[in-house]
Amino acid sequence: MKPRIAIAGFQHETNTFAPIPTRYADFERGGAWPGITRGEAIFDVCTEPQIPIAGFIRGGEDFDLIPLLWAAAEPASYVTDDAFDRIAGEICERLASAGEIEGVYLDLHGAMVTESHEDGEGALLARVREVVGPDLPVAVSLDLHGNLTAEFARLASCVTIYRTYPHIDMPETGARAAALLARLLKRGKPFAKAHRQAGFIPPITDQSTMREPGGRLYAMLPGLEGNGVECIDLAFGFPPADIHDCGPSILAFGTDQGAVDAAADAMLAALHAAEGDFSNPLVPAPEAVRAAMENETDRPVIICDAQDNPGAGAVGDSTGLLAALIEAGATGACLGMLWDPDTAAQAHEAGEGAEINVRIGGTFPEIGGPPVETRARVEALSDGRFTCTGPMYGGAKSDLGPMACLALNGGAIRVAVGSVRAQNADQAIFRAVGIEPSDHRIVAVKSAVHFLADYEPIAARVIFAAAAGANPCSLTTIPYRRLRQGVRLGPGGPPFGGTA
Ligand SMILES: [Zn+2]
């Protein structure tokens, strides 16, 4: 008989500095990933996109899987108590009625903060433990951006984490969790475990594993496994989270406590030794635009609007970079996706080819600058339903509501507007409104790092731009209040609270 394993997912990355809360309806709707999915539908809906549970399902063929519920919402501010209680509650109800089970798999993020819990995943695991007891194996896969607490580590039986940023290894991570759980079941008693936290928080814009030191640090992990270490992983952490445990952490599991501790200590030492190699690549938006306008190749310069990345909880409608493009007289430029349901609706009302006066973006002018008021031609319209094609989101069915391509300055600048907040990490977002990124000299994307996977291969150059937004990427500018004393803000940065 195959072991009966209950599977569920509840993913959120919470930016506690962002202005928009995360409600139950945001999980119902989904966005880049599927909305709340229950029971057997998980086998269909959640195996199309490249997400961890898809890898667990494919890798868990030796298990009899009991699908409970899977949910994710676009990053934003605190998950409301209502949303957390309803989703965690339904997962636990379904778990309680799943019958006799040998284990649980949870597809989680690691950086969920709710109105009542700094550690959303720890709170979820505590509820799951109330149902299954302290000893039942609970395997978890996590995002590389988890801010992981000692309590979370105590409650999980085994954990594995994405090893790429952009996250192009989500299914592999889910499959690794399945293999790890199988080894834990075979062992028949708990793994030894280790949890370590780093003494500094690296900026999110220099966490990519397509850059150094991220590339070489993550490449170390497989070499630390074996000889009593079943699995060791590193989470770089999610900086815009004002919680005690914000920042990088290491989790290791295995059969030998000494080996597990030694591996975790070696990884922590390597991370600290690399501290000085993290550097924030941000340049002011006007400077980024000027540099991009010098592009004389036949490939586009990609400018990322890192601090307005909706994928990190920012609004996605800040106007600093757009204003810089207009101000500089940029031509052959496209920018997207700018979240603006009102302007998208206005464009749909007016129809393709219409000339309209628009007020684009700027819902929270104190955070992301004022709306851009200009004349625009409606070049193309879309219902916002399309399938992503890039290395990270490939296969995901997006539903971004009414979208439009607006041509400004006689077509010198094209802006893709849409109705559901979404990070632009996939060229399909532009193509949904007829914009072919490669045909432009300058391509501006609302993303911090994930865009690299699909856009760097077509780029002459990539520039990380700093414009106003709710995803502050320079650690010393983030108005933290609740970090642990002494953690350094950025590589070599000042310690929080002023203590050494
Ligand atoms: Zn992430």
Side-chain angles (χ1 to χ4, degrees):
M1 276 248 299
K2 293 180 176 183
R4 297 184 81 241
I5 305 297
I7 61 172
F10 188 6
Q11 284 223 17
H12 194 257
E13 181 177 75
T14 307
N15 175 340
T16 66
F17 300 100
I20 301 175
T22 307
R23 301 187 175 93
Y24 187 76
D26 299 309
F27 288 97
E28 278 186 306
R29 187 183 53 220
W33 303 135
I36 293 178
T37 306
R38 298 176 168 86
E40 298 284 321
I42 289 172
F43 291 134
D44 297 323
V45 176
C46 296
T47 52
E48 282 177 346
Q50 304 294 316
I51 55 180
I53 200 167
F56 189 93
I57 290 168
R58 289 193 285 267
E61 55 201 10
D62 293 333
F63 300 142
D64 181 7
L65 298 178
I66 320 299
L68 306 177
L69 180 146
W70 192 91
E74 186 72 7
S77 194
Y78 294 94
V79 173
T80 63
D81 282 341
D82 172 67
F84 179 78
D85 290 338
R86 286 168 74 181
I87 295 169
E90 188 174 343
I91 289 172
C92 288
E93 276 167 30
R94 287 172 173 268
L95 186 58
S97 53
E100 192 79 17
I101 53 169
E102 278 78 54
V104 178
Y105 162 67
L106 298 173
D107 174 0
L108 308 179
H109 185 286
M112 174 160 59
V113 184
T114 76
E115 288 173 323
S116 294
H117 304 288
E118 283 199 357
D119 176 10
E121 286 79 9
L124 175 67
L125 273 184
R127 292 195 186 194
V128 166
R129 285 286 177 212
E130 282 174 19
V131 178
V132 302
D135 302 322
L136 193 89
V138 177
V140 182
S141 64
L142 293 174
D143 191 285
L144 172 149
H145 292 110
N147 293 318
L148 309 177
T149 69
E151 180 65 0
F152 168 82
R154 189 182 71 77
L155 290 166
S157 309
C158 56
V159 179
T160 188
I161 302 174
Y162 311 163
R163 295 174 176 179
T164 59
Y165 182 29
H167 306 326
I168 54 171
D169 68 332
M170 289 185 272
E172 287 90 330
T173 305
R176 203 163 56 240
L180 195 57
L181 178 57
R183 296 202 296 276
L184 179 59
L185 291 172
K186 194 170 166 205
R187 173 175 160 85
K189 59 179 182 176
F191 282 144
K193 59 177 85 166
H195 170 251
R196 302 285 186 274
Q197 285 179 317
F200 72 103
I201 303 175
I204 204 158
T205 34
D206 202 25
Q207 293 186 357
S208 177
T209 55
M210 292 170 69
R211 302 283 189 272
E212 296 301 344
R216 69 169 194 268
L217 287 171
Y218 276 85
M220 283 180 63
L221 293 169
L224 292 168
E225 293 174 342
N227 299 320
V229 179
E230 291 290 332
C231 191
I232 176 166
D233 278 289
L234 165 66
F236 266 160
F238 184 59
D242 193 13
I243 58 172
H244 182 271
D245 292 286
C246 181
S249 49
I250 292 152
L251 284 175
F253 297 83
T255 54
D256 179 323
Q257 186 67 55
V260 165
D261 282 329
D265 288 336
M267 194 64 233
L268 184 64
L271 178 59
H272 281 147
E275 181 171 345
D277 297 338
F278 287 93
S279 62
N280 202 339
L282 288 185
V283 300
E287 202 179 296
V289 169
R290 270 199 305 278
M293 286 171 70
E294 289 165 10
N295 176 29
E296 286 179 359
T297 73
D298 57 1
R299 295 158 74 87
V301 171
I302 314 295
I303 306 177
C304 80
D305 196 356
Q307 300 198 123
D308 190 39
N309 172 21
V315 180
D317 79 338
S318 83
T319 50
L321 183 54
L322 177 58
L325 287 165
I326 294 170
E327 173 74 25
T331 57
C334 61
L335 180 144
M337 187 196 82
L338 203 142
W339 175 66
D340 191 334
D342 293 341
T343 300
Q346 185 193 354
H348 276 253
E349 177 99 348
E352 278 181 19
E355 297 268 349
I356 54 177
N357 293 321
V358 290
R359 286 180 97 236
I360 305 174
T363 312
F364 302 92
E366 70 287 0
I367 295 174
V372 166
E373 302 193 34
T374 184
R375 188 93 179 140
R377 180 171 177 277
V378 181
E379 212 165 72
L381 298 170
S382 161
D383 65 2
R385 291 170 200 263
F386 57 91
T387 302
C388 292
T389 54
M392 179 172 165
Y393 285 95
K397 292 194 166 82
S398 283
D399 183 357
L400 305 182
M403 293 179 69
C405 171
L406 302 175
L408 316 185
N409 285 2
I413 302 171
R414 292 192 169 87
V415 180
V417 297
S419 301
V420 175
R421 295 172 50 250
Q423 169 166 210
N424 188 340
D426 195 297
Q427 296 184 53
I429 288 193
F430 276 127
R431 291 182 184 132
V433 285
I435 296 172
E436 180 53 50
S438 304
D439 293 346
H440 292 73
R441 294 176 65 222
I442 301 174
V443 176
V445 293
K446 298 278 186 187
S447 175
V449 170
H450 283 319
F451 72 96
L452 288 172
D454 201 24
Y455 285 95
E456 190 156 66
I458 65 161
R461 181 184 171 193
V462 165
I463 304 175
F464 293 77
N471 177 35
C473 293
S474 298
L475 274 294
T476 49
T477 68
I478 302 179
Y480 289 116
R481 291 170 49 231
R482 309 180 73 156
L483 296 182
R484 58 196 177 280
Q485 290 285 311
V487 66
R488 292 183 295 286
L489 304 175
F496 179 73
T499 58

